[in-house]
Amino acid sequence: MRRTRIAGITAGIAAVALLAAGCSGNNSEQKSPDVAGEVLTVGMPNGALSENQNPLAPTGSAAKSLGYAWVIYESLMQVNDLHPLEDPTPWLAESVTWNDDYTEAQIVAREGVKWTDGEDFTAKDIAFTFNLFLDFPALNADFPEQLESATADGNTATITFGRSQYVNQVKLNRTVIVPEHIWADIADPVTFTDTDPIGTGPYLLESWTPQAATLVVNPDYWGGEPAVPKIQYSSYNDNNALITALTTGEAQWGWTFIADYENVYIAQDPEHYNQVAGGGFAVDVLYLNNETKPFNDRAFRQALNMAIDRTQISQLAGSGVWPGISSVTGMPMPSGEDFLASEFDGEEYQVDVDGAKALLEDAGYTWDGSGALLDPDGAAVSFELVNPAGWNDYLTALDLIKQGAESLGAVATVNAANQDAWFNEIIPLGNFQATLHWTDSGATPWNMYADMMDGAQYVPLGETANWNFGRYNNDEVTAALAEFAGASDDAARQAAIETVQQFYVEDVPALVIWARPAVAQYSTVNYTGFPTDEDPYANPQPTGPQAAQIVMKLTPTEG
């Protein structure tokens, strides 16, 4: 779960040995540990890990968790999250070509690529990997019940699907490929720990411990020789330990939520320390239980939407890391510009408590002598906001949302719940009135809206929901989301997504609070070439297929 990267990660995991003791406070003169100016240390706050390098495993892969899977194994294409529908950068595939209705992809394998054991990489490896998804559904998180076949002919693999993959094309591009000549003999690739990984990427695994993995250059890499001769992936005990490692220069690349990052991190070495954010459609949403009071009334949902201050929430709870949402459609900008309905162009959220109260009054709400809000039945309006204890950015956001509710006369309380209970009982079963949760990203706003509003994912309260936790159910929205996903032309898709936007604005089934772009911290003391605000060529985090692209762009810092 992505929340394992946010402040308040569970403490108590065995402490991780620091990798470079005695770092100088003069960061401009620091060099990476062990081999000055050469080793790149990547840090994540994931605690002690179990040995597992499986790049396809749904859970338990240390290589995926820390990110080194993505410089050993590689994806078909490289995708820029800021502009995910732009032409991707060819990687293991020279090209990916879709048919008109996005039910078939033809993938041309790059020639001259070898696995690190010397065997040739071919289109058969691509087809084999997708057939693993068919044969072992637990591996098939991206295309459940959609993938139909995978075949290879010469240097071309053909992948077919039972319905349009327009909204999933980026997922195919990011699929990492494994070698058939190794994995064909694996009885259960779901539980396979892959302790001797054979990939096509720029690095080889040299050593592994529960706290760190060390990688060295693949001398036969098809893309040439990377400038970084060694990468050490270090798993720190928690956010605070990683923050210390980043601020002292012990770790030079990673990702953790740093409250007041400008002062806590950047100010320690303004010349070299950077925090950057990629684009995409991932957002954090206040899911409202549309089937229980007070959120079963659209008027109250609308009023709360008008009373909360997203800019304040972004600044105080998100430390400016998470950009507040301004468009009334809930879409992050500029990612959403190409999909924005003309009627909402320039329409932005404004705090309007007086307007919210007038709306409530028109809907039959009143106030008693103390200023408490009463619903049309005469009952005092109250609700609980819930998220796991220790998730400080979320809990601070809930406190600010509470203030917005109180400005209307409603009584709101914040409950810091047990994390396991929240994951297993509160969120999926609908045992809440309001709670913050993320959405998927994706190349289009489809994932974001579907996660909040898709009736195809509706289940009654008490049954386990995978998305649509607020139980919003509108036949027109469900049909429009299906039309967008299956349409064969841009005009039909745009008409469908505009319908979804209209109902999001009018019905307020949930409240998008802030965007959640991919964020990373890095130091340029030793290496430059990371994604920047001026050149956001890739998601800046080290924990995805883009890591191979980033490390191949790094060069030693001059001077």
Side-chain angles (χ1 to χ4, degrees), residues 477-511:
V477 171
T478 302
L481 288 167
E483 172 67 17
F484 183 91
S488 59
D489 64 86
D490 290 340
R493 278 188 286 270
Q494 184 61 24
I497 207 65
E498 289 184 7
T499 296
V500 176
Q501 290 174 51
Q502 180 181 7
F503 279 101
Y504 173 82
V505 173
E506 294 178 357
D507 275 6
V508 193
L511 277 61

Side-chain angles (χ1 to χ4, degrees), residues 2 100 193 205 310 396 427 508 546:
R2 75 183 65 181
D100 289 342
T193 56
L205 181 64
R310 287 169 170 83
T396 302
I427 271 285
V508 193
Q546 71 279 353

Side-chain angles (χ1 to χ4, degrees), residues 144-405:
E145 300 179 359
Q146 300 167 47
L147 183 61
E148 287 194 340
S149 68
T151 59
D153 183 10
N155 70 338
T156 300
T158 300
I159 317 298
T160 65
F161 299 87
R163 57 180 184 266
S164 171
Q165 296 300 300
Y166 178 80
V167 298
N168 288 329
Q169 56 187 294
V170 166
K171 294 180 179 179
L172 182 136
N173 288 335
R174 287 179 171 150
T175 300
V176 294
I177 306 303
V178 297
E180 179 179 16
H181 69 279
I182 300 292
W183 286 62
D185 296 327
I186 305 304
D188 185 357
V190 178
T191 59
F192 177 47
T193 56
D194 196 19
T195 55
D196 183 20
I198 303 298
T200 59
Y203 288 88
L204 307 170
L205 181 64
E206 180 183 62
S207 64
W208 188 91
T209 74
Q211 292 81 34
T214 302
L215 281 76
V216 295
V217 167
N218 173 6
D220 300 316
Y221 182 53
W222 63 267
E225 182 179 0
V228 182
K230 182 178 290 189
I231 306 178
Q232 182 141 306
Y233 289 80
S234 299
S235 188
Y236 291 87
N237 188 56
D238 54 25
N239 278 18
N240 290 333
L242 178 53
I243 290 170
T244 298
L246 288 166
T247 55
T248 61
E250 176 187 307
Q252 301 91 48
W253 187 18
W255 150 235
T256 189
F257 180 81
I258 304 177
D260 193 20
Y261 72 92
E262 291 278 3
N263 291 315
V264 172
Y265 176 59
I266 302 295
Q268 306 310 307
D269 186 353
E271 181 182 355
H272 298 107
Y273 286 3
N274 300 270
Q275 177 166 299
V276 296
F281 286 96
V283 294
D284 280 346
V285 178
L286 186 71
Y287 280 88
L288 308 174
N289 193 325
N290 283 235
E291 296 192 342
T292 63
K293 278 191 169 187
F295 298 114
N296 59 351
D297 183 6
R298 182 175 73 168
F300 186 75
R301 300 196 302 266
Q302 293 172 328
L304 182 63
N305 194 39
M306 297 167 67
I308 63 172
D309 189 337
R310 287 169 170 83
T311 299
Q312 180 191 53
I313 294 171
S314 170
Q315 293 171 346
L316 298 183
S319 297
V321 176
W322 311 129
I325 293 293
S326 57
S327 171
V328 297
T329 64
M331 290 190 296
M333 297 298 168
S335 297
E337 288 176 351
D338 291 341
F339 301 92
L340 185 64
S342 58
E343 64 184 295
F344 300 124
D345 188 13
E347 294 294 316
E348 297 189 349
Y349 286 119
Q350 302 290 336
V351 179
D352 185 3
V353 174
D354 290 339
K357 286 183 174 180
L359 185 154
L360 289 170
E361 189 170 12
D362 289 344
Y365 286 77
T366 58
W367 290 263
D368 67 14
S370 68
L373 180 64
L374 307 178
D375 69 20
D377 296 327
V381 177
S382 65
F383 62 91
E384 179 186 81
L385 298 148
V386 60
N387 271 114
W391 291 12
N392 297 338
D393 53 342
Y394 270 16
L395 293 174
T396 302
L398 294 186
D399 281 330
L400 296 171
I401 294 168
K402 171 185 173 181
Q403 293 176 21

Side-chain angles (χ1 to χ4, degrees), residues 436-500:
L436 279 167
H437 194 288
W438 52 89
T439 67
D440 281 335
S441 182
T444 73
W446 184 89
N447 295 79
M448 180 193 88
Y449 285 127
D451 290 351
M452 292 187 287
M453 303 171 67
D454 194 355
Q457 303 195 66
Y458 172 88
V459 296
L461 290 173
E463 295 184 15
T464 299
N466 292 317
W467 288 109
N468 191 3
F469 303 117
R471 272 66 178 182
Y472 179 76
N473 201 5
N474 180 308
D475 290 343
E476 290 185 65
V477 171
T478 302
L481 288 167
E483 172 67 17
F484 183 91
S488 59
D489 64 86
D490 290 340
R493 278 188 286 270
Q494 184 61 24
I497 207 65
E498 289 184 7
T499 296
V500 176

